[in-house]
Amino acid sequence: MTDVSTTEVTRDAIRAAEALIRPHVRHTPVLEVDLADFGRPAQPVALKLECLQHSGSFKARGAFTSLLTRDVPDAGVVAASGGNHGAAVAYAAARLGVPATIFVPSVTTPAKAERIRGYGAKLVVGGDRYADALAASEEFVAGTGAMTVHAYDQPATLTGQGTLGLEIGQDLPDLDTLLVAVGGGGLIGGIAAWFRGDVRVVAVEPEGAPTLHRALAAGEPVDAPTEGIAADSLAPKQVGRLMFPLAQRFVERSVLVTDDAIASAQRSLWDAARVVAEPGGATALAALLSGAYVPEPGERVAVLVCGANTSAVQL
């Protein structure tokens, strides 16, 4: 068994993780669209639909990497989550026959809470924000000896999310720029570790939760507000410390978008492409549709649609 927790998040580690988790995760599709379909000046854009991943988001990659590369105790695994990470850990644990306890804050949406319960995990509501759920999960670990699977600040998590960068590189070998939504930074940290400057990686964050934006300005992770429409997925107090050096080196910049822009992008994805995304999953596209990020003529741009755990579309 390879202990990813003792290795640097390198391309070799990401390749090894990709081979390990491949039987358990989907190679998600790319949808080619034109910004004219969304009411913007015509320009082709690729949408990487990681919202179609098992458990409804990219988080399954990090969850499987963690469970398959670490020694899981009899007490099982525990995770604190705004919802998507918890669902992914619950799904991976169910697939691998491991007990799971998931702590979520009260802002977690019913759709995400129900998904966690549906995978057979024990769901515990701990406080109003992610930091509260994290503190409650740490108390649980101290009392039970369960293994923590951190949402974004563990090497195995970063390495697993980096497999998405590998996959995007396979799908779009001529890519210039990739727009990625940021909460704690595990996703963009893993992707940045894969591309290492070969592709321009741009972070997109809600104005109400500018974790990476403030960290880059300060030169280190610092507290940021935890508000807004995407608070259940993109609003930790601080960006992860393990990913921050990767972001400093390989993330070109962070752009901020309003809640209105995120909600508009979420509606536009459904109206123009019949793609369902939660607010956090639509945040990267909001940068293009709102003009927060304006591509150069001929720039080959992709947007990561990273999550779809929402009840926005009722059938």
Side-chain angles (χ1 to χ4, degrees):
M1 179 177 290
T2 301
D3 185 359
V4 175
S5 66
T6 63
T7 68
E8 186 183 1
V9 183
T10 64
R11 281 180 171 171
D12 284 345
I14 291 168
R15 286 191 191 96
E18 201 280 335
L20 187 65
I21 69 174
R22 178 48 49 202
H24 304 287
V25 299
R26 293 173 177 146
H27 188 132
T28 51
V30 171
L31 178 65
E32 301 284 352
V33 299
D34 196 302
L35 287 181
D37 297 334
F38 297 86
R40 298 290 298 175
Q43 177 154 351
V45 170
L47 304 179
K48 176 63 170 174
L49 300 182
E50 189 66 7
C51 51
L52 302 180
Q53 186 57 260
H54 288 300
S55 77
S57 82
F58 70 93
K59 295 280 191 176
R61 297 172 183 271
F64 274 109
T65 301
S66 193
L67 269 63
L68 289 169
T69 59
R70 300 168 65 195
D71 292 320
V72 180
D74 291 341
V77 296
V78 61
S81 169
N84 283 339
H85 175 63
V89 172
Y91 175 78
R95 283 283 298 267
L96 299 174
V98 173
T101 304
I102 309 299
F103 288 79
V104 300
S106 60
V107 296
T108 295
T109 64
K112 294 178 181 180
E114 188 57 36
R115 177 151 283 208
I116 292 168
R117 290 193 187 96
Y119 292 138
K122 180 182 178 182
L123 180 72
V124 181
V125 179
D128 294 330
R129 287 290 184 265
Y130 170 77
D132 303 320
L134 180 61
S137 75
E138 289 169 346
E139 290 183 11
F140 180 84
V141 168
T144 65
M147 185 183 87
T148 299
V149 183
H150 198 281
Y152 53 87
D153 209 21
Q154 280 179 339
T157 302
L158 282 162
T159 302
Q161 317 311 20
T163 67
L164 184 49
L166 185 160
E167 191 170 297
I168 291 169
Q170 293 173 338
D171 293 338
L172 301 164
D174 296 324
L175 184 64
D176 293 320
T177 303
L178 177 65
L179 303 183
V180 183
V182 174
L187 175 61
I188 201 168
I191 287 173
W194 175 257
F195 285 119
R196 308 189 77 81
D198 289 346
V199 166
R200 181 183 299 113
V201 177
V202 176
V204 186
E205 301 180 85
E207 287 185 349
T211 52
L212 181 57
H213 195 87
R214 289 203 174 181
L216 290 172
E220 63 179 343
V222 293
D223 285 354
T226 57
E227 304 299 332
I229 192 174
D232 64 327
S233 59
L234 302 181
K237 279 188 176 181
Q238 291 189 4
V239 75
R241 292 193 172 272
L242 291 178
M243 67 75 60
F244 185 65
L246 293 165
Q248 283 185 303
R249 290 182 63 190
F250 302 123
V251 173
E252 187 191 66
R253 65 183 186 274
S254 165
V255 299
L256 303 180
V257 293
T258 65
D259 278 2
D260 286 347
I262 294 170
S264 178
Q266 187 185 21
R267 289 191 299 270
S268 294
L269 271 171
W270 176 247
D271 290 341
R274 280 304 188 253
V275 171
V276 178
E278 63 189 272
T283 293
L285 181 63
L288 279 182
L289 301 188
S290 68
Y293 184 84
V294 180
E296 297 293 329
E299 184 178 346
R300 294 159 296 189
V301 179
V303 171
L304 183 52
V305 184
C306 57
N309 285 320
T310 177
S311 55
V313 177
Q314 298 283 358
L315 300 177

